[in-house]
Amino acid sequence: HRDLHSFPTRRSSDLLRQAECFAERLEKASKDPARQITTAYRLAFGRAPSEAEAKIMTAYAGTHGLANACLVLLNTNEFVFID
């Protein structure tokens, strides 16, 4: 797994810790990676991921770790900006 501190976008220590805590919460809720991603989208965005989002983010989490996937979600425009 890659070091979270190497992630190239907004990298405050608070945001990194939030991503780690978010991942821990998801891991406690389910051991199934696809279900973890679905839960992450529901909690972060109030919606389920599309099929493509679920596939991409589950693969990303498998390669880079769930905390890194959470960091990606916390850095999306959908999470940061309110319409």
Side-chain angles (χ1 to χ4, degrees), residues 2-81:
R2 294 179 58 182
D3 181 6
L4 286 177
H5 297 280
S6 67
F7 199 80
T9 59
R10 296 184 334 231
R11 295 180 275 148
S12 75
S13 60
D14 289 339
L15 189 60
L16 292 172
R17 186 67 195 131
Q18 288 175 348
E20 292 166 345
C21 289
F22 193 15
E24 290 171 10
R25 179 178 178 181
L26 297 170
E27 289 167 341
K28 287 178 184 175
S30 177
K31 298 299 178 199
D32 176 45
R35 188 171 201 116
Q36 290 170 343
I37 296 300
T38 297
T39 302
Y41 269 77
R42 289 190 188 281
L43 292 171
F45 307 131
R47 65 173 180 85
S50 68
E51 277 187 47
E53 289 170 329
K55 183 177 179 179
I56 290 166
M57 288 305 294
T58 300
Y60 184 90
T63 302
H64 301 285
L66 185 57
N68 274 313
C70 290
L71 188 58
V72 169
L73 295 178
L74 295 176
N75 272 291
T76 61
N77 285 342
E78 186 173 352
F79 182 79
V80 176
F81 298 104

